[in-house]
Amino acid sequence: MAENLLAIDCGTQSVRALLFNPQGDLLAKARVPIEPYFSTAPGLAEQDPNVFWDALCQACRQLFTHNEAQKDSITAVSITTQRATVVNLDKNGSPLRPAIIWLDQRRAEEFPPVKGVWGAAFTLSGTKPTVEYLQAQCEANWIHLHQPDIWEKTYKFTYLSGYLTHLLVGQFVDSIGCQVGYMPFDYKKQTWAASSHWYWQALAVKPDKLVDLVPVGEQLGKITPEAARQTGIPVGLPLIAAAADKACEVLGAGSLEPNVACLSYGTAATINTTHKKYVEIIPLIPPYPAAVPDLYNMELQIYRGYWMVNWFKNEFGLRELRLAKETGVEPEVLFDELVNNVPPGSQGLVLQPYWSPGLRHPGPEARGAVIGFNDMHTRAHLYRAILEGLAYALRDGKERTEKRAKTTIDQVRIAGGGSQSDAAMQLTADVFGLPVSRPHLYEASGLGAAINAAVGVGIHADYPSALNAMTRLGDTFNPDPKSHAAYDQLYNEIYLRMYKRLQPFYKAMQKIALPSK
């Protein structure tokens, strides 16, 4: 009986085709690296949408080349993608311009402010700067202002998930679980906003440019003959709506209870918990749709996250990268040795990982900072301080979540590329003072998408049953009491005070015109 599941995971740095069985075992995998983006000016991050489609097709064909006999075992397909990457499509579904990648930092400063009753309410409540920030961040507003001809020709404005879904099933449709970004989406009701919502004043997008939405776990359509020809996926298979990559990662890690936090150590580092109730951790910053219908993921994000780790490797880790290539050892092993050669707390070197501005905390003026340097510090100390700074920031997110949700987080799961590092796992356990566990396999977001597909076609009756069958814990790391005590003191006495003390300097730097080269 055909019961295997094909999950496609389109991330920031690669596209992966993953074949799972109903027990959550990864049967086969194909990975195609992609360039995350190109930049034509400082702060811009764009990519040809066909890069993602071509990589998707290549990954599927590679998978089937080595697993042709298993092709007939597939009963459903699902796709999960990076969030908040947007595409302008014409009536034929062809891109009108490069996709704007979620890492893009352009701003539509000139877009008209919200006026009338809503504008007065935002002024009185002190949330006007938040609304103005959201307007400036909205990619549709920028295109409307700076490329009006493109905006006029745009038939549908959608996320990357909607673009790839159209190519697979031939319909302008997307999953509710993929709606994360600057669109007129009502996060509480999990549908496009009502006509009376202030979003329609704040954003350039109008209803006719939006695709239809389908709940996670329901069918988006069936694989068309043309998609089958290009990908090798059998024609007619159902494409089941999955959520965006972070939400699928939470599901694949088995984190469906509010007391279980899922940390994602990916390009963006996040802490997520799943809730039945809609709660905004920061006013006007919504919880996102979970990978289960009618649930919410409360999330706090460190925008650059484990991008900082890659930055360190490229700028300071060439010795380890070269040695790993020469010896055939995974680079993470050598970088773990760097971490383990430095004591917890990095001998007083403390890093604040706000290397990209935020909205409320950190604010739009935010920058990164490293304090405490002295003559004993080496690049190994800096590398460990990066990992510790990310863990401090996510612990801060944990405490903010607990306060807003009025719940206690007592379990931590870690997924994403950084979870492959034993040193990072142990360090996180020590900072949080809690046991932290990996999911049983690294491809947690792909597994989450496969779970959506499994429930969608009835292989498992519901999500609790699917999680029980398809997820389990891998390695668990317990906190060291002595290390936790040291981290606790650094976190409370130094880290939590850094941002407020440095904020005036960050604001001053906003006013200083610095040369770009």
Side-chain angles (χ1 to χ4, degrees), residues 407-423:
T407 188
T408 299
I409 295 171
D410 55 18
Q411 296 182 47
V412 178
R413 314 274 167 80
I414 302 182
S419 68
Q420 296 179 93
S421 164
D422 285 358

Side-chain angles (χ1 to χ4, degrees), residues 15-17 30-32 54-64:
V15 176
R16 300 181 295 284
R31 178 181 181 273
V32 176
D54 291 345
L56 184 156
C57 294
Q58 186 180 342
C60 289
R61 290 196 301 267
Q62 284 183 14
L63 183 77
F64 296 137

